[in-house]
Amino acid sequence: MNCKITGKLLSPIHSFGKMPMANNFIENEKDFEKEYFFNLEFSFNEEISLFQINEYPDAKNFFNEKYPFFTGLSKYMVNHFEKYYNSLNKKNLFNKNSFVLEIGSNDGSFLKNFQKNNIKCLGVDPSKSASDKAKNVGLQIIDDFFNVQTAKKIFNKFGKVDLIVSANAICHIPDLNDLISAIDIVLSEKGSFVFEENYLLEMIKKTSFDQIYNEHIYIFSLIAIDKVFSLYGFKLYDCEPQSTHGGSMRYYICREGAQKVTNRLKIHMQIEIKNKLDKFETYVKFGNDCEILKSKIYKKLKKIKNDNKRIIGYGATAKSTTILNYCEIDNNIIDFIVDTTPEKHWKFSPGKHIQILPYEFFEKDYPEYAYLFAWNHKDEILIKEKKFTSNGGKFISHIDLK
Ligand code: TMP
C-alpha cells in the first residue's frame, strides 16, 4: 500500500486475518454468504510516524443511510460534548459572531451545544441515518464526505470559518492530503482546527487491538499529527488527553505562527518519544502482544464454557468485530450480544454471526459472564449494572487480561 502523503510503499507489520466491515450488521441469514471480507493488517510509516491499516473498503459502503452508530445514545458522550464545547469557549476559540464547522457531526450531539448558545454552525456527515437525527433538531447538515469539493461549496456559501471541530472522524478519512487542503480552503487565518481521536499511546499500552478496524484507517499520535500538518503550513500547538473511547487525545491545530506552542504539548511529545512511538520496533512488539492476548482471551473463554457457564456479549460495538473475528469467537462461546441501539437489534454480528438482541434480554436472565465489548464505556456501564455484579455476574474483557 502506498502512503497517500509520502508516496512510500508500506510493508505490513501484523495481520489480524480476514475481517468483515465492523458495523456491517447483517439482517438476513441468507446474506451471510455475500459478506465482504478484507485483510486487516497494519503498518507504520517511519517518515511521518503514522500508524495505519493497509487495506480498507471504500467508505461509501458503510458511511451511508444505514450507518448504525449514534453518539447521543451514550449519556456520558453527550456530557463529554458539553464539556468539549465549554473548553473551546473558555479558550476563546470562537465568539458570538463566529461560524463553526464540524467534520463528522453524526446525530448532532456536539453541535447542539453551539446551537443552544446561538452560535452559527454547520455539520458535514455522509451517514444519513445519523445526520437525519441532527436535522430533526434543526441543525444545518451537509450529507457528504468532507473533502476539497465540499469545502469549496461551504466556502462559496458561508465564507471562512473561525473554528473547525471534530471528534472520532478524522481517522476515518484516508486521504489526509485532501483533508488538509480542504481545511486550508475554509479555515480563517487565525482560526483553529480542533479534533480528538483514539490515542495511539493508549492503544499500545493497553494492547487494545480492537481499536483497529476498517473505519479507523489511522491511529494518531502527537508526533504523527505534528509531522503531517507541518507539511502543509499548519502547526500543532496544544493537546489535551481525554478519557473517552478508552483513551483519546485532543489536537489543536492552527496556521503556522498563529498560536504559541504550549508547554503541555512539549511534555506530551516527550512522553511519546520516551515510549518510542516514532520507532518501527514498537509496532512489531505491539503485533506480538496482540497474538499473546488473543490466545489468553480464547483460553479464558474456553475455560468458562468448560465450566458450563453462560457468556453473553455486552455492546455490539464496532470494536467487537475485530475481537470476535481475530480471536475466533463464535456462537459456541457467546450466546448473543445485547445492545441499546434499536437499529442493531435482531441482526447478526459481522463475520461470526452472533445475534444482537435488545438490552432487556440481559436483565431478563442474567448470565454468569458478560464480555464487555463496550469496555470504553465501563464507568457508565458499571454504575448501571450494579444488580448484575452484586448478584455475582462478572464482566470480562481483554483489557483486564493484559
Ligand atoms: P462505541 O464503543 O463505538 O461507542 O459503541 C458503543 C456501543 O455499545 C453502541 O452500539 C451502544 C452500545 N452500548 C450499550 O449497549 N449499552 C451501554 O450502556 C452503552 C454505553 C453502549
mmCIF file of all heavy atoms in Angstrom, residues 23 25 68-70 73-77 213 245 314-319 338-341 344 359 373-377 380-381 384-385, ligand 1:
data_model
loop_
_atom_site.group_PDB
_atom_site.id
_atom_site.type_symbol
_atom_site.label_atom_id
_atom_site.label_comp_id
_atom_site.label_asym_id
_atom_site.label_seq_id
_atom_site.Cartn_x
_atom_site.Cartn_y
_atom_site.Cartn_z
ATOM 1 N N ASN A 23 -19.158 -2.324 11.198
ATOM 2 C CA ASN A 23 -20.546 -2.011 11.557
ATOM 3 C C ASN A 23 -21.555 -2.644 10.614
ATOM 4 O O ASN A 23 -22.709 -2.244 10.576
ATOM 5 C CB ASN A 23 -20.742 -0.488 11.567
ATOM 6 C CG ASN A 23 -20.405 0.098 12.938
ATOM 7 O OD1 ASN A 23 -20.866 -0.416 13.957
ATOM 8 N ND2 ASN A 23 -19.596 1.132 12.960
ATOM 9 N N PHE A 25 -23.740 -4.986 10.353
ATOM 10 C CA PHE A 25 -24.620 -5.967 11.000
ATOM 11 C C PHE A 25 -25.584 -6.521 9.949
ATOM 12 O O PHE A 25 -26.168 -5.758 9.182
ATOM 13 C CB PHE A 25 -25.362 -5.326 12.171
ATOM 14 C CG PHE A 25 -24.419 -4.860 13.227
ATOM 15 C CD1 PHE A 25 -23.971 -3.553 13.265
ATOM 16 C CD2 PHE A 25 -23.895 -5.764 14.147
ATOM 17 C CE1 PHE A 25 -23.037 -3.126 14.211
ATOM 18 C CE2 PHE A 25 -22.970 -5.352 15.099
ATOM 19 C CZ PHE A 25 -22.543 -4.036 15.129
ATOM 20 N N PRO A 68 -25.100 2.523 11.694
ATOM 21 C CA PRO A 68 -25.901 2.326 12.910
ATOM 22 C C PRO A 68 -25.312 2.912 14.189
ATOM 23 O O PRO A 68 -25.647 2.453 15.277
ATOM 24 C CB PRO A 68 -25.939 0.794 12.998
ATOM 25 C CG PRO A 68 -24.614 0.365 12.473
ATOM 26 C CD PRO A 68 -24.148 1.427 11.492
ATOM 27 N N PHE A 69 -24.453 3.912 14.092
ATOM 28 C CA PHE A 69 -23.848 4.443 15.316
ATOM 29 C C PHE A 69 -24.360 5.865 15.600
ATOM 30 O O PHE A 69 -24.258 6.747 14.753
ATOM 31 C CB PHE A 69 -22.319 4.449 15.198
ATOM 32 C CG PHE A 69 -21.679 5.025 16.424
ATOM 33 C CD1 PHE A 69 -21.536 4.267 17.579
ATOM 34 C CD2 PHE A 69 -21.273 6.350 16.459
ATOM 35 C CE1 PHE A 69 -20.990 4.814 18.737
ATOM 36 C CE2 PHE A 69 -20.717 6.907 17.605
ATOM 37 C CZ PHE A 69 -20.574 6.127 18.742
ATOM 38 N N PHE A 70 -24.883 6.034 16.809
ATOM 39 C CA PHE A 70 -25.444 7.336 17.192
ATOM 40 C C PHE A 70 -24.856 7.771 18.529
ATOM 41 O O PHE A 70 -25.106 7.141 19.564
ATOM 42 C CB PHE A 70 -26.978 7.250 17.274
ATOM 43 C CG PHE A 70 -27.587 6.669 16.031
ATOM 44 C CD1 PHE A 70 -28.037 5.356 16.006
ATOM 45 C CD2 PHE A 70 -27.650 7.421 14.863
ATOM 46 C CE1 PHE A 70 -28.553 4.796 14.847
ATOM 47 C CE2 PHE A 70 -28.158 6.875 13.697
ATOM 48 C CZ PHE A 70 -28.618 5.560 13.682
ATOM 49 N N LEU A 73 -26.706 8.147 22.107
ATOM 50 C CA LEU A 73 -27.203 7.032 22.924
ATOM 51 C C LEU A 73 -26.390 6.876 24.210
ATOM 52 O O LEU A 73 -26.815 6.184 25.131
ATOM 53 C CB LEU A 73 -27.157 5.718 22.124
ATOM 54 C CG LEU A 73 -28.226 5.569 21.040
ATOM 55 C CD1 LEU A 73 -28.013 4.285 20.264
ATOM 56 C CD2 LEU A 73 -29.622 5.585 21.653
ATOM 57 N N SER A 74 -25.229 7.493 24.259
ATOM 58 C CA SER A 74 -24.426 7.419 25.472
ATOM 59 C C SER A 74 -24.512 8.755 26.216
ATOM 60 O O SER A 74 -24.070 9.786 25.703
ATOM 61 C CB SER A 74 -22.968 7.100 25.118
ATOM 62 O OG SER A 74 -22.134 7.392 26.229
ATOM 63 N N LYS A 75 -25.082 8.696 27.419
ATOM 64 C CA LYS A 75 -25.217 9.926 28.227
ATOM 65 C C LYS A 75 -23.841 10.507 28.527
ATOM 66 O O LYS A 75 -23.637 11.709 28.575
ATOM 67 C CB LYS A 75 -25.905 9.596 29.564
ATOM 68 C CG LYS A 75 -27.399 9.531 29.464
ATOM 69 C CD LYS A 75 -28.008 9.501 30.861
ATOM 70 C CE LYS A 75 -29.385 8.901 30.796
ATOM 71 N NZ LYS A 75 -29.631 7.880 31.795
ATOM 72 N N TYR A 76 -22.892 9.600 28.716
ATOM 73 C CA TYR A 76 -21.529 10.014 29.036
ATOM 74 C C TYR A 76 -20.942 10.841 27.883
ATOM 75 O O TYR A 76 -20.309 11.868 28.094
ATOM 76 C CB TYR A 76 -20.681 8.754 29.289
ATOM 77 C CG TYR A 76 -19.252 9.044 29.647
ATOM 78 C CD1 TYR A 76 -18.883 9.286 30.967
ATOM 79 C CD2 TYR A 76 -18.262 9.070 28.670
ATOM 80 C CE1 TYR A 76 -17.565 9.555 31.297
ATOM 81 C CE2 TYR A 76 -16.946 9.337 28.988
ATOM 82 C CZ TYR A 76 -16.596 9.574 30.302
ATOM 83 O OH TYR A 76 -15.294 9.844 30.618
ATOM 84 N N MET A 77 -21.197 10.380 26.658
ATOM 85 C CA MET A 77 -20.663 11.105 25.495
ATOM 86 C C MET A 77 -21.368 12.448 25.313
ATOM 87 O O MET A 77 -20.738 13.445 24.951
ATOM 88 C CB MET A 77 -20.788 10.253 24.213
ATOM 89 C CG MET A 77 -19.806 9.101 24.116
ATOM 90 S SD MET A 77 -18.077 9.546 24.410
ATOM 91 C CE MET A 77 -17.682 10.531 22.956
ATOM 92 N N TYR A 213 -9.983 -1.274 13.044
ATOM 93 C CA TYR A 213 -10.989 -1.866 12.147
ATOM 94 C C TYR A 213 -11.142 -0.955 10.938
ATOM 95 O O TYR A 213 -10.495 0.100 10.880
ATOM 96 C CB TYR A 213 -12.319 -2.140 12.865
ATOM 97 C CG TYR A 213 -12.961 -0.992 13.596
ATOM 98 C CD1 TYR A 213 -13.880 -0.154 12.981
ATOM 99 C CD2 TYR A 213 -12.661 -0.754 14.933
ATOM 100 C CE1 TYR A 213 -14.471 0.881 13.672
ATOM 101 C CE2 TYR A 213 -13.256 0.293 15.631
ATOM 102 C CZ TYR A 213 -14.162 1.105 14.990
ATOM 103 O OH TYR A 213 -14.755 2.145 15.671
ATOM 104 N N HIS A 245 -13.542 6.872 24.706
ATOM 105 C CA HIS A 245 -13.163 5.798 23.779
ATOM 106 C C HIS A 245 -11.905 5.042 24.210
ATOM 107 O O HIS A 245 -11.072 4.680 23.385
ATOM 108 C CB HIS A 245 -13.033 6.337 22.347
ATOM 109 C CG HIS A 245 -14.377 6.665 21.766
ATOM 110 N ND1 HIS A 245 -15.289 5.698 21.421
ATOM 111 C CD2 HIS A 245 -14.988 7.852 21.529
ATOM 112 C CE1 HIS A 245 -16.392 6.269 20.981
ATOM 113 N NE2 HIS A 245 -16.243 7.571 21.050
ATOM 114 N N TYR A 314 -21.740 -7.785 25.756
ATOM 115 C CA TYR A 314 -22.395 -6.544 26.181
ATOM 116 C C TYR A 314 -21.905 -5.408 25.283
ATOM 117 O O TYR A 314 -20.760 -4.984 25.368
ATOM 118 C CB TYR A 314 -22.054 -6.267 27.650
ATOM 119 C CG TYR A 314 -22.927 -5.225 28.321
ATOM 120 C CD1 TYR A 314 -23.907 -5.594 29.225
ATOM 121 C CD2 TYR A 314 -22.761 -3.882 28.064
ATOM 122 C CE1 TYR A 314 -24.707 -4.642 29.856
ATOM 123 C CE2 TYR A 314 -23.550 -2.920 28.681
ATOM 124 C CZ TYR A 314 -24.522 -3.312 29.571
ATOM 125 O OH TYR A 314 -25.309 -2.374 30.200
ATOM 126 N N GLY A 315 -22.781 -4.927 24.391
ATOM 127 C CA GLY A 315 -22.439 -3.837 23.463
ATOM 128 C C GLY A 315 -21.937 -4.390 22.136
ATOM 129 O O GLY A 315 -20.850 -4.960 22.073
ATOM 130 N N ALA A 316 -22.760 -4.262 21.100
ATOM 131 C CA ALA A 316 -22.333 -4.717 19.763
ATOM 132 C C ALA A 316 -21.505 -3.592 19.133
ATOM 133 O O ALA A 316 -21.911 -2.955 18.157
ATOM 134 C CB ALA A 316 -23.548 -5.042 18.907
ATOM 135 N N THR A 317 -20.367 -3.344 19.703
ATOM 136 C CA THR A 317 -19.511 -2.240 19.255
ATOM 137 C C THR A 317 -18.828 -2.590 17.922
ATOM 138 O O THR A 317 -18.689 -3.771 17.586
ATOM 139 C CB THR A 317 -18.400 -1.974 20.294
ATOM 140 O OG1 THR A 317 -17.672 -3.195 20.462
ATOM 141 C CG2 THR A 317 -18.972 -1.563 21.630
ATOM 142 N N ALA A 318 -18.381 -1.552 17.250
ATOM 143 C CA ALA A 318 -17.591 -1.778 16.030
ATOM 144 C C ALA A 318 -16.335 -2.563 16.415
ATOM 145 O O ALA A 318 -15.902 -3.474 15.707
ATOM 146 C CB ALA A 318 -17.223 -0.436 15.418
ATOM 147 N N LYS A 319 -15.786 -2.222 17.568
ATOM 148 C CA LYS A 319 -14.551 -2.877 18.043
ATOM 149 C C LYS A 319 -14.719 -4.388 18.201
ATOM 150 O O LYS A 319 -13.783 -5.153 18.008
ATOM 151 C CB LYS A 319 -14.135 -2.296 19.404
ATOM 152 C CG LYS A 319 -13.744 -0.849 19.365
ATOM 153 C CD LYS A 319 -13.196 -0.371 20.704
ATOM 154 C CE LYS A 319 -14.255 -0.228 21.764
ATOM 155 N NZ LYS A 319 -15.299 0.750 21.471
ATOM 156 N N VAL A 338 -26.048 -8.147 23.608
ATOM 157 C CA VAL A 338 -27.116 -7.150 23.807
ATOM 158 C C VAL A 338 -26.586 -5.756 23.502
ATOM 159 O O VAL A 338 -25.406 -5.478 23.690
ATOM 160 C CB VAL A 338 -27.705 -7.168 25.243
ATOM 161 C CG1 VAL A 338 -28.533 -8.417 25.467
ATOM 162 C CG2 VAL A 338 -26.634 -6.986 26.300
ATOM 163 N N ASP A 339 -27.494 -4.910 23.016
ATOM 164 C CA ASP A 339 -27.111 -3.529 22.678
ATOM 165 C C ASP A 339 -28.353 -2.652 22.804
ATOM 166 O O ASP A 339 -29.474 -3.104 22.610
ATOM 167 C CB ASP A 339 -26.565 -3.472 21.237
ATOM 168 C CG ASP A 339 -25.774 -2.198 20.991
ATOM 169 O OD1 ASP A 339 -26.390 -1.124 20.835
ATOM 170 O OD2 ASP A 339 -24.526 -2.278 20.984
ATOM 171 N N THR A 340 -28.112 -1.387 23.128
ATOM 172 C CA THR A 340 -29.233 -0.459 23.311
ATOM 173 C C THR A 340 -29.656 0.237 22.007
ATOM 174 O O THR A 340 -30.597 1.019 22.010
ATOM 175 C CB THR A 340 -28.852 0.635 24.341
ATOM 176 O OG1 THR A 340 -27.565 1.145 24.001
ATOM 177 C CG2 THR A 340 -28.814 0.095 25.762
ATOM 178 N N THR A 341 -28.957 -0.041 20.909
ATOM 179 C CA THR A 341 -29.266 0.625 19.630
ATOM 180 C C THR A 341 -30.335 -0.161 18.859
ATOM 181 O O THR A 341 -30.044 -1.264 18.358
ATOM 182 C CB THR A 341 -27.993 0.701 18.744
ATOM 183 O OG1 THR A 341 -26.879 1.073 19.560
ATOM 184 C CG2 THR A 341 -28.169 1.657 17.587
ATOM 185 N N LYS A 344 -29.620 -2.042 15.573
ATOM 186 C CA LYS A 344 -28.778 -3.256 15.535
ATOM 187 C C LYS A 344 -29.560 -4.521 15.941
ATOM 188 O O LYS A 344 -29.072 -5.636 15.737
ATOM 189 C CB LYS A 344 -27.572 -3.083 16.480
ATOM 190 C CG LYS A 344 -26.591 -2.016 16.034
ATOM 191 C CD LYS A 344 -25.389 -1.874 16.971
ATOM 192 C CE LYS A 344 -24.500 -0.709 16.529
ATOM 193 N NZ LYS A 344 -23.377 -0.454 17.440
ATOM 194 N N TYR A 359 -31.454 -4.910 24.749
ATOM 195 C CA TYR A 359 -30.812 -4.908 26.066
ATOM 196 C C TYR A 359 -31.592 -5.719 27.114
ATOM 197 O O TYR A 359 -31.006 -6.395 27.965
ATOM 198 C CB TYR A 359 -30.653 -3.455 26.530
ATOM 199 C CG TYR A 359 -30.255 -3.338 27.963
ATOM 200 C CD1 TYR A 359 -28.953 -3.629 28.353
ATOM 201 C CD2 TYR A 359 -31.195 -2.991 28.932
ATOM 202 C CE1 TYR A 359 -28.586 -3.562 29.680
ATOM 203 C CE2 TYR A 359 -30.836 -2.917 30.261
ATOM 204 C CZ TYR A 359 -29.535 -3.206 30.634
ATOM 205 O OH TYR A 359 -29.179 -3.150 31.944
ATOM 206 N N PHE A 373 -17.750 -5.767 25.491
ATOM 207 C CA PHE A 373 -17.197 -5.245 24.232
ATOM 208 C C PHE A 373 -17.148 -3.710 24.262
ATOM 209 O O PHE A 373 -16.330 -3.100 23.593
ATOM 210 C CB PHE A 373 -18.033 -5.716 23.040
ATOM 211 C CG PHE A 373 -17.928 -7.199 22.792
ATOM 212 C CD1 PHE A 373 -19.057 -7.999 22.710
ATOM 213 C CD2 PHE A 373 -16.680 -7.793 22.643
ATOM 214 C CE1 PHE A 373 -18.953 -9.359 22.472
ATOM 215 C CE2 PHE A 373 -16.563 -9.160 22.402
ATOM 216 C CZ PHE A 373 -17.710 -9.940 22.323
ATOM 217 N N ALA A 374 -18.085 -3.120 25.038
ATOM 218 C CA ALA A 374 -18.101 -1.646 25.175
ATOM 219 C C ALA A 374 -17.244 -1.247 26.379
ATOM 220 O O ALA A 374 -17.658 -0.428 27.203
ATOM 221 C CB ALA A 374 -19.537 -1.165 25.327
ATOM 222 N N TRP A 375 -16.038 -1.808 26.482
ATOM 223 C CA TRP A 375 -15.175 -1.565 27.650
ATOM 224 C C TRP A 375 -14.826 -0.095 27.812
ATOM 225 O O TRP A 375 -14.534 0.368 28.909
ATOM 226 C CB TRP A 375 -13.901 -2.423 27.577
ATOM 227 C CG TRP A 375 -13.072 -2.182 26.353
ATOM 228 C CD1 TRP A 375 -13.140 -2.863 25.175
ATOM 229 C CD2 TRP A 375 -12.061 -1.172 26.161
ATOM 230 N NE1 TRP A 375 -12.239 -2.345 24.264
ATOM 231 C CE2 TRP A 375 -11.561 -1.304 24.844
ATOM 232 C CE3 TRP A 375 -11.513 -0.176 26.966
ATOM 233 C CZ2 TRP A 375 -10.555 -0.481 24.332
ATOM 234 C CZ3 TRP A 375 -10.519 0.650 26.453
ATOM 235 C CH2 TRP A 375 -10.059 0.487 25.152
ATOM 236 N N ASN A 376 -14.878 0.652 26.704
ATOM 237 C CA ASN A 376 -14.588 2.091 26.766
ATOM 238 C C ASN A 376 -15.694 2.865 27.484
ATOM 239 O O ASN A 376 -15.524 4.021 27.815
ATOM 240 C CB ASN A 376 -14.365 2.656 25.362
ATOM 241 C CG ASN A 376 -15.453 2.274 24.384
ATOM 242 O OD1 ASN A 376 -15.885 1.132 24.362
ATOM 243 N ND2 ASN A 376 -15.922 3.194 23.594
ATOM 244 N N HIS A 377 -16.855 2.219 27.716
ATOM 245 C CA HIS A 377 -17.946 2.863 28.455
ATOM 246 C C HIS A 377 -18.090 2.214 29.846
ATOM 247 O O HIS A 377 -19.163 2.238 30.442
ATOM 248 C CB HIS A 377 -19.271 2.714 27.706
ATOM 249 C CG HIS A 377 -19.285 3.341 26.349
ATOM 250 N ND1 HIS A 377 -19.389 4.702 26.162
ATOM 251 C CD2 HIS A 377 -19.179 2.803 25.106
ATOM 252 C CE1 HIS A 377 -19.366 4.967 24.856
ATOM 253 N NE2 HIS A 377 -19.232 3.830 24.200
ATOM 254 N N GLU A 380 -19.627 4.108 32.988
ATOM 255 C CA GLU A 380 -21.074 4.325 32.841
ATOM 256 C C GLU A 380 -21.836 3.002 33.024
ATOM 257 O O GLU A 380 -22.861 2.943 33.697
ATOM 258 C CB GLU A 380 -21.307 4.896 31.429
ATOM 259 C CG GLU A 380 -22.733 5.164 31.057
ATOM 260 C CD GLU A 380 -22.841 5.859 29.664
ATOM 261 O OE1 GLU A 380 -21.794 6.112 29.023
ATOM 262 O OE2 GLU A 380 -23.978 6.139 29.255
ATOM 263 N N ILE A 381 -21.298 1.932 32.471
ATOM 264 C CA ILE A 381 -21.996 0.642 32.499
ATOM 265 C C ILE A 381 -21.959 0.014 33.900
ATOM 266 O O ILE A 381 -22.965 -0.521 34.372
ATOM 267 C CB ILE A 381 -21.416 -0.302 31.408
ATOM 268 C CG1 ILE A 381 -21.813 0.240 30.023
ATOM 269 C CG2 ILE A 381 -21.906 -1.737 31.592
ATOM 270 C CD1 ILE A 381 -21.133 -0.410 28.844
ATOM 271 N N LYS A 384 -24.609 1.405 36.006
ATOM 272 C CA LYS A 384 -25.932 0.944 35.560
ATOM 273 C C LYS A 384 -26.192 -0.520 35.924
ATOM 274 O O LYS A 384 -27.334 -0.926 36.123
ATOM 275 C CB LYS A 384 -25.957 1.089 34.028
ATOM 276 C CG LYS A 384 -27.260 1.458 33.458
ATOM 277 C CD LYS A 384 -27.120 2.031 32.063
ATOM 278 C CE LYS A 384 -26.501 1.094 31.048
ATOM 279 N NZ LYS A 384 -26.392 1.669 29.699
ATOM 280 N N GLU A 385 -25.135 -1.305 36.006
ATOM 281 C CA GLU A 385 -25.290 -2.760 36.144
ATOM 282 C C GLU A 385 -24.929 -3.289 37.533
ATOM 283 O O GLU A 385 -24.426 -4.417 37.655
ATOM 284 C CB GLU A 385 -24.462 -3.477 35.068
ATOM 285 C CG GLU A 385 -24.821 -3.121 33.641
ATOM 286 C CD GLU A 385 -26.284 -3.415 33.276
ATOM 287 O OE1 GLU A 385 -27.007 -4.038 34.080
ATOM 288 O OE2 GLU A 385 -26.691 -2.985 32.188
HETATM 289 P P1 TMP B 1 -18.740 2.643 20.819
HETATM 290 O O1 TMP B 1 -17.830 1.846 21.671
HETATM 291 O O2 TMP B 1 -18.267 2.731 19.410
HETATM 292 O O3 TMP B 1 -19.083 3.953 21.451
HETATM 293 O O4 TMP B 1 -20.129 1.811 20.698
HETATM 294 C C1 TMP B 1 -20.876 1.550 21.826
HETATM 295 C C2 TMP B 1 -21.963 0.523 21.539
HETATM 296 O O5 TMP B 1 -22.358 -0.042 22.786
HETATM 297 C C3 TMP B 1 -23.206 1.097 20.893
HETATM 298 O O6 TMP B 1 -23.740 0.168 19.974
HETATM 299 C C4 TMP B 1 -24.179 1.250 22.061
HETATM 300 C C5 TMP B 1 -23.754 0.144 22.986
HETATM 301 N N1 TMP B 1 -23.981 0.427 24.396
HETATM 302 C C6 TMP B 1 -24.871 -0.368 25.092
HETATM 303 O O7 TMP B 1 -25.447 -1.290 24.528
HETATM 304 N N2 TMP B 1 -25.092 -0.098 26.411
HETATM 305 C C7 TMP B 1 -24.475 0.946 27.047
HETATM 306 O O8 TMP B 1 -24.716 1.157 28.233
HETATM 307 C C8 TMP B 1 -23.552 1.755 26.311
HETATM 308 C C9 TMP B 1 -22.843 2.904 26.982
HETATM 309 C C10 TMP B 1 -23.338 1.457 24.984
#
